[in-house]
Amino acid sequence: MTVYRTRAGLRHRFRDVLNFYYPDCLDTTVGGYVAQLDERDGHVYDARTKHLVATARGVHNFSLGVLADGPHWCEHAAEHGLQFLATVHWDDARRGYDWHLDGRTPTDRTRYCYGHAFVLLAAARALQAGIAGARDELERAFGVLEERFWELDHGRYAARASPDWELAPYRGQNANMHACEALLAAYEATGADRFLERAYTVADRVTRDGTAATDGLLWEHYTESWEPDLSYNEDSPRHQFRPPGYQPGHHAEWAKLLALLAEHRPEDWLLERARTLFDAAVDLGWDDEHGGLYYTVADDGEPIVADKYGWVHAEAIGASALLSRVDRDADGRSADVLEWYDRLWEYAGTHLINPRYGNWYERVTREHDRDGPNHGPAVEPGYHPLTNCWLVTRALAADGVDALGTRADAG
């Protein structure tokens, strides 16, 4: 049995990621976090830029540390980030969260649903962790999402607006996926049905209605009327945030979210759709020659960008773990989805996890070479591996077992 099937193994990996970022990520001069740590050795390569998503993810990560009974400094670190999020990132005059700051000075006030969703997620986990001020921030972030981004006729959120709230025509599934994640966390933190109902609506519209024109696969980019824009960025296959093609990682991530939603809304379609999306992720995305999941593919599985990203594998790990709890035979044994869990961990451990520090690399090439330092303001400060390690350990605790693939009555 792989060590990562066990609570102890997952806890070890969880702490490794937290320890990589703390204490260097705490900015004690300007406030907030220094998220730009080199993934190879941890040195700070940009001490000034504050990115809304990186700040929110930092609050989320350290709040999970509190919830997981992690290091004692997690509570202070979460409080430190939430205070900066609520005061410096918040633009009180225009009632929204600023996207980029240079220190404490706004440099990009574009309003992104994606960023506001992560504020909601951060506040929800902070509320669960007992961090002061989290409830107010949760309500404020949700209010902005509802007032500025929600499109009632389409049951989904718009993607982007100007600083003064003029909506752009682009629509995207990614912002809605993370809004669904945040809404589920808000429901878990508050018990308020409005968050669960909104999460359910988004999930239904994105993963069922929104895939009718693409044979059940999740397209990323849409027109203002929510029609798939199949030619979007087709001349920019390596676009950092909006590449063309299907993303196996997002299929796995939605599979995970539907499995989580099914715990609160036990409807058959949720788990059925979760299984279908996970199968699509591995069937289309797995590289039979070199291993690992491609970043983007065509609808026949031909890779568009064959790089292997850390977040993709972390999300597939979380999805396979949650699905293994419900895909069991009469003897309680998990189906082959648990074999995927082991395979994904083996790949990540071999190619994507820094052997010295335990953090996850952003990406490697198809043949597992590292193509550069992966520097930039839009960093991923451990959010995906921390989230999925925590979700799996939480599921094991709920099942009363110490390892995936075992039964509670077996000890």
Side-chain angles (χ1 to χ4, degrees):
M1 176 187 298
T2 174
V3 66
Y4 298 119
R5 287 195 190 185
T6 68
R7 282 199 240 182
L10 290 163
R11 183 177 179 82
H12 174 76
R13 183 56 65 202
F14 182 92
R15 282 178 172 251
D16 276 353
V17 177
L18 283 178
N19 287 332
F20 175 77
Y21 289 96
Y22 184 90
D24 291 348
C25 76
L26 263 64
D27 189 335
T28 57
T29 302
V30 172
Y33 303 121
V34 177
Q36 290 79 20
L37 274 61
D38 183 271
E39 61 186 11
R40 300 161 298 180
D41 58 20
H43 79 267
V44 174
Y45 62 84
D46 176 1
R48 294 289 302 173
T49 304
K50 311 293 182 182
H51 191 292
L52 176 61
V53 175
T55 302
R57 285 177 171 180
V59 174
H60 163 274
N61 293 350
F62 290 120
S63 296
L64 290 192
V66 176
L67 293 171
D69 194 25
H72 64 87
W73 37 258
C74 287
E75 183 174 1
H76 164 69
E79 291 171 345
H80 180 84
L82 185 66
Q83 192 275 337
F84 190 85
L85 192 64
T87 57
V88 185
H89 272 291
W90 175 253
D91 177 357
D92 198 55
R94 299 173 182 82
R95 311 299 293 174
Y97 295 92
D98 290 335
W99 187 242
H100 275 178
L101 312 173
D102 178 10
R104 300 174 73 90
T105 303
T107 55
D108 185 351
R109 283 185 148 150
T110 306
R111 311 303 182 198
Y112 288 96
C113 175
Y114 183 86
H116 286 69
F118 270 105
V119 176
L120 179 60
L121 176 66
R125 295 307 184 203
L127 179 58
Q128 287 180 291
I131 305 301
R135 183 62 185 252
D136 289 343
E137 211 57 39
L138 183 154
E139 294 293 348
R140 183 159 70 177
F142 180 65
V144 177
L145 283 166
E146 290 295 289
E147 180 182 351
R148 296 296 190 177
F149 292 106
W150 181 246
E151 298 188 299
L152 179 62
D153 290 346
H154 299 289
R156 282 162 283 195
Y157 292 98
R160 185 178 81 247
S162 70
D164 293 316
W165 293 110
E166 181 180 352
L167 287 178
Y170 174 84
R171 299 292 184 269
Q173 84 77 23
N174 192 23
N176 283 271
M177 180 180 70
H178 286 291
C180 181
E181 175 190 27
L183 290 161
L184 280 172
Y187 172 70
E188 293 174 353
T190 65
D193 287 340
R194 59 196 165 112
F195 298 120
L196 181 62
E197 291 304 315
R198 182 65 84 235
Y200 180 89
T201 298
V202 172
D204 185 24
R205 292 297 180 90
V206 172
T207 68
R208 290 208 289 185
D209 292 355
T211 62
T214 50
D215 293 328
L217 297 177
L218 293 164
W219 190 247
E220 299 289 324
H221 315 294
Y222 294 82
T223 66
E224 192 171 8
S225 59
W226 280 101
E227 295 296 324
D229 187 349
L230 299 177
S231 63
Y232 188 87
N233 270 350
E234 62 183 0
D235 58 345
S236 302
R238 301 191 71 87
H239 192 281
Q240 185 176 6
F241 300 114
R242 295 177 179 174
Y246 296 96
Q247 295 196 34
H250 283 163
H251 284 71
E253 200 162 357
W254 264 116
K256 180 192 78 175
L257 293 175
L258 294 180
L260 290 171
L261 187 54
E263 295 178 6
H264 305 298
R265 290 282 296 261
E267 299 182 19
D268 290 343
W269 79 265
L270 288 166
L271 287 178
E272 291 170 0
R273 194 76 182 102
R275 293 184 185 99
T276 300
L277 290 173
F278 181 80
D279 287 346
V282 295
D283 289 346
L284 290 176
W286 188 259
D287 182 347
D288 290 327
E289 183 177 356
H290 297 284
L293 291 164
Y294 298 126
Y295 180 45
T296 55
V297 299
D299 57 8
D300 61 357
E302 185 68 22
I304 298 174
V305 175
D307 294 349
K308 315 296 170 60
Y309 276 69
W311 72 263
V312 172
H313 295 78
E315 290 301 326
I317 283 168
S320 57
L322 296 183
L323 288 174
S324 75
R325 301 167 65 220
V326 293
D327 280 355
R328 298 189 173 192
D329 62 22
D331 295 324
R333 293 182 300 234
S334 298
D336 64 352
V337 69
L338 195 52
E339 296 177 9
W340 275 110
Y341 178 84
D342 294 340
R343 187 180 304 174
L344 289 158
W345 265 119
E346 180 181 8
Y347 181 85
T350 303
H351 301 293
L352 294 169
I353 299 175
N354 187 328
R356 182 174 181 183
Y357 296 105
N359 61 300
W360 290 50
Y361 299 134
E362 179 183 347
R363 69 178 182 271
V364 295
T365 67
R366 183 182 185 186
E367 296 81 12
H368 315 130
D369 296 321
R370 299 193 61 249
D371 59 355
N374 295 324
H375 289 176
V379 295
E380 195 282 284
Y383 148 77
H384 287 283
L386 284 171
T387 296
N388 289 285
C389 284
W390 180 74
L391 286 173
V392 180
T393 54
R394 186 179 72 165
L396 290 172
D399 292 344
V401 298
D402 291 322
L404 284 171
T406 60
R407 299 171 63 180
D409 59 4

